[in-house]
Amino acid sequence: MSGTRGQSRTSTNWLAIGGLASGIIGLIILAILFGPLAILLGALGLRQTGKGGNGMAKAAIVVGIVDTVLGIVLMVAGGFSFFIGG
């Protein structure tokens, strides 16, 4: 018997990866910019069918929402100038 098998390899959705990465970056710097970007990329990642990464896309949306809320709270509280060097 031959030992060759066909391997099925699923590719992860790059939009989901980009959304999650921008959400994580948004937790560190410029939350008000990277938060909506993470939400957008996560939503686009969820819309693509046939590719893996639905969990990452959902996580990107959640982290993006947290980033956006955090950015708004920091702007209202006056602590936003700390992050942009003011």
Side-chain angles (χ1 to χ4, degrees), residues 9-13 45-54:
R9 185 175 160 176
T10 59
S11 64
T12 303
N13 190 346
L46 276 178
R47 296 185 89 188
Q48 285 191 350
T49 58
K51 291 189 174 182
N54 285 340

Side-chain angles (χ1 to χ4, degrees), residues 19-75:
L20 188 58
S22 64
I24 292 170
I25 291 170
L27 289 173
I28 300 168
I29 57 168
L30 293 175
I32 199 69
L33 176 69
F34 285 107
L37 181 64
I39 294 170
L40 177 69
L41 290 175
L44 289 174
L46 276 178
R47 296 185 89 188
Q48 285 191 350
T49 58
K51 291 189 174 182
N54 285 340
M56 266 193 268
K58 290 176 186 176
I61 293 172
V62 170
V63 174
I65 291 170
V66 170
D67 285 348
T68 305
V69 170
L70 180 66
I72 291 171
V73 167
L74 286 175
M75 280 195 308

